[in-house]
């Protein structure tokens, strides 16, 4: 087929939307990648002929199932469960599980698609997948969480395995949920294997997995700043979210000499001009992880402002670390941040910035690290947990800290290699990440022929 006969970007997106009606987050995630890839492959006939991007945007399979459980009052509850296995060309499917009432097929397809690219960037042999449920863990007792996780795994166990698909945590799924899920997998199969990552240290978990995503997102920012002769030290920082990723982003920013003045949850945000220092972070962690309370309590305890129903982006600062959820920086909020003198963004959450917001940041030549690069530290240490499980050993904290830093540096450098930043000129990390990730997966797919 001649190059001129190929569909263009617009036709490609029309087809994707027609085949996946109403799945807006999925359309958004694919479009973000397709813009760069159509440009990159314009003169590369082999990728067109093999329909590589079209195949990447069609998950290998989507498993959807019913999850029934009983609440503490004896009521029967019915939830939906999914596992989206997007692509296993460079390794077994790998990616988290999200438990949140907003979860639907579109969100999981976008996350599984993104995960394929992110995992490729880590340099480790992992394909992309994602799963979860519209179950709302908020306000549930430990026993209810356990019964739900057991029921969820009673179906999921058929589709996963240490060489097939290895889930982990995401929103609403942390150490407690992974423990219940692993316990049920082991009970059903009578096999003790690394089928999940993010496990407790006692049963095969890896050191620094809890820290890895937040730390990695801050390292990425540090590497972007170092490239232009600057650093995180002395910078004022906005963090959104107050869960796993946000907490360890705050910890690392503090260690590097930055000052974090905000955190948020689904109710609003807290503005703390004093800075969320080590002592205040310890309070926040106890509040969110142990007492499972709301940020309003933090504001009351430390006497600072809590802004209900809003996100932190109106507060002037040097750096922003969105660490809550998708589309949490609107285009208007991106423009406000730019207007207030923002210098850099590192996306701890998955796809937190709207498409036009990303465009506004890059147009204003703000350092912008897209999620698939910036938050890859979590899944990278998950990959290291898989290696440790396979060799039935535990590596030391020092080894793992060093590996995380060098993996994030490797991702940064690959984004520069393909991002058009010459010398210390402005680098397009979005393009760099998309192209670098694409090449590895695409070339593996070419090697397999038409499958
Ligand atoms: P947690 O469940 O630990 O924390 C999520 C935080 O975001 C909470 O503060 C929560 O508020 C807030 N939040 C969640 N959904 C919404 C929403 N719809 N609107 C406003 N606030 C919301 O999740 P994680 O920290 O693990 O995940 C945060 C982000 O990072 C997600 O985008 C996830 O996909 C991404 N990520 C996570 C990785 C990991 O290793 N955990 C790895 C890579 C990316 P509340 O407390 O009110 O629920
Ligand atoms: O989005 C992500 O990269 C994660 N939630 C972590 C996935 C993993 O397998 O550790």
């Amino acid at each position: 087929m001649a190059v001129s006969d190929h569909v263009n970007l617009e036709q490609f997106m029309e087809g994707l939307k027609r085949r996946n009606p109403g799945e807006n987050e999925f359309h958004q995630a694919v479009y973000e990648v397709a813009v760069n890839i159509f440009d990159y492959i314009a003169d590369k006939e082999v990728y067109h002929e093999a329909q590589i991007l079209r195949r990447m945007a069609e998950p290998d399979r989507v498993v959807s199932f019913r999850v029934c459980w009983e609440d503490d009052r004896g009521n029967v509850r019915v939830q939906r469960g999914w596992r989206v296995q997007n692509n296993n060309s460079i390794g077994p499917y790998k990616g988290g599980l999200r438990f949140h009432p907003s979860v639907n097929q579109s969100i999981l397809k976008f996350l599984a698609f993104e995960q394929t690219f992110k995992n490729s960037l880590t340099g480790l042999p992992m394909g992309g997948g994602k799963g979860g449920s519209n179950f709302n863990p908020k306000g549930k007792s430990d026993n209810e969480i356990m019964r739900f996780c057991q029921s969820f795994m009673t179906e999921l166990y058929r589709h996963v395995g240490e060489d097939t698909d290895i889930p982990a945590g995401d929103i609403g799924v942390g150490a407690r949920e992974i423990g219940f899920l692993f316990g049920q997998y082991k009970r059903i199969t009578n096999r003790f294997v690394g089928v999940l990552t993010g496990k407790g240290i006692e049963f095969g978990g890896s050191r620094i997995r809890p820290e890895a995503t937040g730390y990695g997102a801050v390292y990425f920012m540090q590497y972007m700043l170092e490239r232009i002769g600057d650093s995180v030290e002395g910078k004022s920082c906005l963090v959104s979210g107050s869960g796993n990723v946000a907490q360890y982003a705050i910890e690392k920013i503090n260690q590097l000499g930055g000052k974090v003045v905000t955190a948020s949850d689904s109710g609003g945000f807290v503005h703390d001009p004093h800075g969320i220092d080590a002592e205040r972070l310890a309070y926040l962690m106890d509040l969110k992880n142990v007492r499972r309370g709301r940020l309003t309590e933090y504001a009351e305890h430390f006497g600072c402002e809590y802004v209900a129903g809003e996100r932190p982006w109106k507060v002037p600062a040097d750096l922003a670390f969105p660490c809550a959820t998708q589309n949490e920086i609107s285009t208007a909020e991106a423009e406000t941040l730019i207007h207030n003198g923002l210098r850099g963004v590192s996306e701890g959450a998955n796809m937190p910035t709207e498409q036009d917001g990303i465009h506004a940041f890059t147009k204003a030549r703000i350092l912008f690290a897209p999620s698939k690069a910036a938050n890859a530290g979590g899944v990278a240490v998950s990959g290291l947990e898989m290696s440790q499980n396979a060799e039935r050993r535990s590596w030391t904290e020092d080894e793992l800290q060093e590996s995380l830093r060098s993996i994030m540096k490797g991702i940064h450098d690959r984004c520069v290699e393909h991002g058009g930043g010459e010398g210390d000129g402005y680098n397009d990390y979005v393009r760099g990440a998309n192209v670098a990730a694409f090449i590895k997966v695409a070339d593996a797919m070419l090697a397999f022929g038409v499958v």
Side-chain angles (χ1 to χ4, degrees):
M1 202 194 287
V3 174
S4 57
D5 292 341
H6 299 311
V7 295
N8 60 28
L9 175 62
E10 219 167 75
Q11 293 162 326
F12 173 82
M13 286 308 300
E14 265 170 31
L16 185 96
K17 287 178 184 170
R18 200 174 52 244
R19 289 188 300 277
N20 303 278
E23 297 189 340
N24 296 337
E25 295 84 0
F26 182 55
H27 306 162
Q28 183 184 344
V30 175
Y31 180 72
E32 257 183 55
V33 168
V35 168
N36 292 139
I37 299 307
F38 264 83
D39 183 46
Y40 173 72
I41 67 175
D43 57 353
K44 298 180 179 64
E45 179 60 21
V46 63
Y47 295 126
H48 285 286
E49 218 168 69
Q51 301 257 15
I52 293 292
L53 193 59
R54 167 85 198 268
R55 285 155 66 185
M56 285 179 177
E58 197 65 60
D60 289 356
R61 65 189 65 76
V62 178
V63 182
S64 102
F65 49 95
R66 184 182 65 229
V67 187
C68 293
W69 59 286
E70 241 179 64
D71 68 21
D72 285 346
R73 286 166 304 173
N75 299 315
V76 173
R77 309 285 288 264
V78 185
Q79 245 72 54
R80 293 184 154 187
W82 287 269
R83 187 70 184 165
V84 179
Q85 298 180 329
N86 183 256
N87 190 302
N88 68 351
S89 298
I90 62 169
Y93 306 107
K94 177 87 195 89
L97 295 171
R98 178 177 291 190
F99 292 170
H100 193 272
S102 65
V103 165
N104 58 34
Q105 189 167 292
S106 169
I107 288 179
L108 296 177
K109 278 167 71 177
F110 117 62
L111 288 163
F113 178 81
E114 281 273 300
Q115 197 81 44
T116 303
F117 286 75
K118 182 193 310 191
N119 294 2
S120 168
L121 282 175
T122 66
L124 300 174
M126 301 183 289
K130 200 86 184 193
S133 173
N134 61 352
F135 173 69
N136 185 1
K138 237 177 239 155
K140 303 288 190 299
S141 69
D142 286 352
N143 272 329
E144 288 176 322
I145 300 283
M146 178 186 74
R147 285 196 294 275
F148 176 79
C149 288
Q150 290 179 342
S151 185
F152 185 82
M153 184 52 88
T154 301
E155 173 61 33
L156 187 70
Y157 90 96
R158 302 170 209 281
H159 312 290
V160 297
E162 73 279 20
D163 293 321
T164 311
D165 185 353
I166 304 92
D170 194 79
I171 292 177
V173 177
R176 173 181 60 167
E177 291 73 20
I178 294 291
F180 291 143
L181 291 163
F182 185 75
Q184 183 72 350
Y185 181 86
K186 190 169 65 58
R187 176 196 202 182
I188 296 172
T189 62
N190 196 24
R191 297 173 73 241
F192 193 110
V193 291
V195 66
L196 292 160
T197 60
K199 300 185 292 299
I201 285 288
E202 309 77 16
F203 52 95
S206 176
R207 289 186 203 287
I208 82 156
R209 177 63 189 85
E211 294 88 338
T213 311
Y215 276 21
V218 179
Y219 288 144
F220 202 96
M221 176 65 85
Q222 180 81 343
Y223 294 134
M224 291 198 299
L225 286 164
E226 272 174 10
R227 183 171 167 275
I228 56 164
D230 204 345
S231 77
V232 170
E233 195 177 351
K235 300 282 187 300
S236 57
C237 302
L238 306 178
V239 170
S240 67
S242 48
N244 172 263
V245 179
Q247 290 169 14
Y248 288 103
I250 295 172
E251 184 165 281
K252 186 50 73 181
I253 292 167
N254 287 340
Q255 288 171 6
L256 295 181
K259 181 178 178 184
V260 179
V261 294
T262 63
S264 71
D265 62 17
S266 44
F269 80 93
V270 64
H271 182 199
D272 186 353
H274 165 91
I276 306 176
D277 58 14
E279 187 201 324
R280 292 183 179 209
L281 177 61
Y283 177 91
L284 178 82
M285 285 179 158
D286 180 66
L287 174 67
K288 294 308 272 187
N289 307 347
V290 182
R291 291 190 280 135
R292 298 185 190 275
R294 315 296 304 152
L295 269 185
T296 44
E297 277 185 61
Y298 177 102
E300 277 159 29
H301 187 80
F302 293 109
C304 46
E305 187 190 9
Y306 179 82
V307 186
E310 286 203 31
R311 304 187 280 220
W313 316 126
K314 283 185 195 144
V315 178
D318 300 315
L319 306 174
F321 296 85
C323 296
T325 192
Q326 65 274 357
N327 292 327
E328 56 163 323
I329 301 184
S330 68
T331 304
E333 285 166 325
E335 270 149 14
T336 302
L337 284 163
I338 296 165
H339 177 77
N340 287 342
L342 189 81
R343 312 265 295 279
V345 183
S346 182
E347 295 188 324
N350 283 307
M351 204 170 74
T353 312
E354 283 180 358
Q355 177 73 32
D356 289 340
I358 296 178
H359 186 66
F361 285 137
T362 49
K363 201 167 142 224
R365 298 175 90 74
I366 293 213
L367 296 174
F368 180 81
S371 49
K372 57 173 79 67
N375 72 33
V379 75
V381 174
S382 278
L384 304 180
E385 182 171 333
M386 288 161 62
S387 301
Q388 293 170 80
N389 293 164
E391 60 176 36
R392 301 196 191 285
R393 282 186 58 211
S394 294
W395 303 345
T396 64
E397 172 155 355
D398 285 351
E399 282 174 279
L400 287 154
Q401 294 280 16
E402 182 45 37
S403 298
L404 174 61
R405 272 193 297 266
S406 86
I407 289 171
M408 295 313 296
K409 181 74 167 74
I411 297 173
H412 172 271
D413 293 354
R414 276 190 283 285
C415 291
V416 173
E417 189 186 336
H418 296 281
E422 281 144 28
D424 57 1
Y426 183 72
N427 185 59
D428 182 348
Y429 286 91
V430 177
R431 180 187 160 87
N434 286 335
V435 171
F438 172 83
I439 292 171
K440 185 171 171 190
V441 180
D443 289 351
M445 290 172 75
L446 287 179
F448 303 144
V450 182
V451 291

